[in-house]
Amino acid sequence: MTATLSEPAAVGEVPTFDVTLRIRRFTPETHGDEAYWQEFTIQAHGTDRLLDALHKAKWDVDGSLSFRRSCAHGVCGSDAMRINGRNRLACKTLLKDLDPEKPITVEPIKGLPVIKDLIVDMEPFFASYREIMPFLVSESQKPTKERLQSAEQRERFDDTTKCILCAACTSSCPVFWTDGQYFGPAAIVNAHRFIFDSRDDAGAQRLEILNDKEGVWRCRTIFNCTEACPRGIEVTKAIQEVKRAMVTRAY
Amino acid sequence: MTTIDAPRSPRMTRTTRRTTRGNVEMVGWLFMRISGVVLVVLIFGHLFVNLVAGEGITGINFGFVAGKWADLRWQIWDLLMLWLAMIHGANGVRTIINDYAEKDSTRLVLKVLLLTAFVTTVVLGTLVIFTFDPCPAGSPADLLPSFCTA
Ligand code: FES
């Protein structure tokens, strides 16, 4: 067998291309109270993520461009944004997967008040999160060692422990867009994490909180949240499990 | 092009926390699932009997419907179908209004309209099913069901 390499020098070489970012900006201090679109054309590499392109735009072109990011590796949940109309983490989105031929639109996540450019006020989101009591509540005698749990018991809520509170799910939910009073998928996911934890004793209390008029019953099973979650949590399924727990508790 | 709506005002903290086992929303949600399943049976049964069985679609006329409603079982079937479908549909529209009507006044007007349409249809439909006269006097006999004698 003869292998022919046309360009031996190109092996392992990363392609370089120009990419256009179309960014939704909101800068009241210089551009008034209306949001507007600004395009940045920058040079990027095949291995770059959208976050790298945003950095380039901010560092080399326009320093006033604002966005949140911290870990840059999909762990902290700071940089959820609407990329080509879908909620994703900028640090987990490769440019080459976004079709860099066309301009890439980047907007802040929807349904939360925009503070500046891609930065939104997360307070309403965290207010919901706090309401479901996202901490272990144990009424039983404090054990001298760890609180033991079997692998099966841990498995029961494993999926919902993965949440990084990036708000990609909640801000992709049409019910949340139209009514910010709704708890939103993220709060329900984090309630699920404790409701189905065998060590926790406040499951009933959390179910009662989520039984609110603005609680789980506002979920319309749209699946936007499951699609948006950068951690691959089956958000809609978790919400249905909470609903089922409520129904079985009531009857 | 996609645009983003103006930012909404921040969420108010809930003042009245409801600590209840069941509530209207839960009952509504459950009702939608259960009535949905029952309606599938009722509606497809209805369609089959009316459009496929026997003479099929050509058999439908006044006599056919009158004959059905002279039978208590069909009365119950149709009554159940009417009520379940109307409550199921009205509740669905109610949730849509709740989701999409932004102003309280819009919501109120839409809900009053919905309730009016619901009550009218259900009352009228129920009345027809129970007070239906299969053999109105003075009608040509070939249009009436076979059991009419006069
Ligand atoms: S920067 Fe931390 S998740 Fe993207």
Side-chain angles (χ1 to χ4, degrees), chain A residues 16-216:
Chain A
T16 300
F17 48 82
D18 276 348
V19 65
T20 303
L21 304 180
R22 205 157 173 271
I23 300 180
R24 185 75 173 167
R25 301 203 54 188
F26 174 68
T27 44
E29 60 274 26
T30 52
H31 285 76
D33 281 342
E34 281 300 309
Y36 59 97
W37 293 97
Q38 188 179 353
E39 294 201 356
F40 295 88
T41 302
I42 49 165
Q43 205 183 54
H45 307 291
T47 50
D48 278 354
R49 304 153 301 164
L50 181 72
L51 183 66
D52 300 307
L54 285 173
H55 276 151
K56 235 182 182 161
K58 182 177 176 68
W59 293 339
D60 301 347
V61 186
D62 184 348
S64 74
L65 177 66
S66 310
F67 52 89
R68 277 196 192 105
R69 75 100 173 84
S70 182
C71 69
H73 289 87
V75 179
C76 70
S78 307
D79 60 347
M81 43 190 84
R82 217 160 120 88
I83 300 160
N84 280 352
R86 281 187 54 198
N87 282 1
R88 331 178 50 162
L89 297 177
C91 63
K92 274 187 96 173
T93 307
L94 284 174
L95 285 175
K96 68 175 172 68
D97 297 340
L98 286 174
D99 185 9
E101 303 285 304
K102 290 200 224 116
I104 296 167
T105 59
V106 186
E107 305 158 68
I109 47 178
K110 277 182 86 173
L112 293 163
V114 179
I115 299 172
K116 188 179 177 196
D117 294 348
L118 302 175
I119 299 177
V120 296
D121 180 6
M122 297 281 278
E123 186 44 36
F125 172 81
F126 283 114
S128 279
Y129 175 59
R130 281 193 297 268
E131 255 178 277
I132 55 100
M133 308 192 296
F135 39 81
L136 184 83
V137 180
S138 178
E139 257 113 60
S140 58
Q141 192 98 55
K142 209 155 129 204
T144 47
K145 286 198 270 173
E146 318 88 317
R147 293 171 202 272
L148 289 179
Q149 188 169 50
S150 71
E152 293 74 46
Q153 286 172 326
R154 178 60 172 70
E155 185 57 34
R156 181 69 195 84
F157 61 96
D158 185 65
D159 201 34
T160 42
T161 59
K162 298 175 193 157
C163 178
I164 55 173
L165 295 169
C166 65
C169 58
T170 294
S171 62
S172 75
C173 174
V175 178
F176 185 78
W177 294 341
T178 55
D179 185 356
Q181 298 295 305
Y182 174 44
F183 271 91
I188 302 172
V189 158
N190 284 284
H192 178 286
R193 183 248 170 274
F194 287 100
I195 290 168
F196 294 100
D197 187 337
S198 59
R199 297 163 297 185
D200 189 87
D201 291 324
Q205 212 179 325
R206 291 194 186 87
L207 287 178
E208 276 173 11
I209 295 167
L210 288 176
N211 197 13
D212 185 275
K213 200 159 110 312
E214 304 291 345
V216 288

Side-chain angles (χ1 to χ4, degrees), chain A residues 22 24 37 82 85 105 107-108 110-114 121 124 127-128 131 174-183 208-209 211-214 217-221 240 243 246-247 249-251, chain B residues 1-31 33-34 91-92 94-102 107 111:
Chain A
R22 205 157 173 271
R24 185 75 173 167
W37 293 97
R82 217 160 120 88
T105 59
E107 305 158 68
K110 277 182 86 173
L112 293 163
V114 179
D121 180 6
S128 279
E131 255 178 277
V175 178
F176 185 78
W177 294 341
T178 55
D179 185 356
Q181 298 295 305
Y182 174 44
F183 271 91
E208 276 173 11
I209 295 167
N211 197 13
D212 185 275
K213 200 159 110 312
E214 304 291 345
W217 308 115
R218 295 219 63 174
C219 167
R220 307 279 177 255
T221 335
Q240 307 320 308
K243 283 182 187 168
M246 276 179 201
V247 173
R249 196 174 77 99
Y251 297 105
Chain B
M1 199 60 247
T2 42
T3 49
I4 302 164
D5 301 333
R8 253 202 339 261
S9 55
R11 180 168 173 283
M12 294 171 292
T13 35
R14 264 171 282 272
T15 42
T16 48
R17 175 172 288 169
R18 312 177 45 146
T19 47
T20 49
R21 270 175 179 255
N23 78 35
V24 185
E25 292 301 325
M26 177 165 92
V27 174
W29 184 85
L30 254 185
F31 173 81
R33 320 287 127 171
I34 295 167
N91 190 38
R94 182 188 70 91
T95 56
I96 294 174
I97 295 173
N98 279 346
D99 281 356
Y100 287 100
E102 282 175 18
R107 194 171 298 150
K111 281 191 182 169

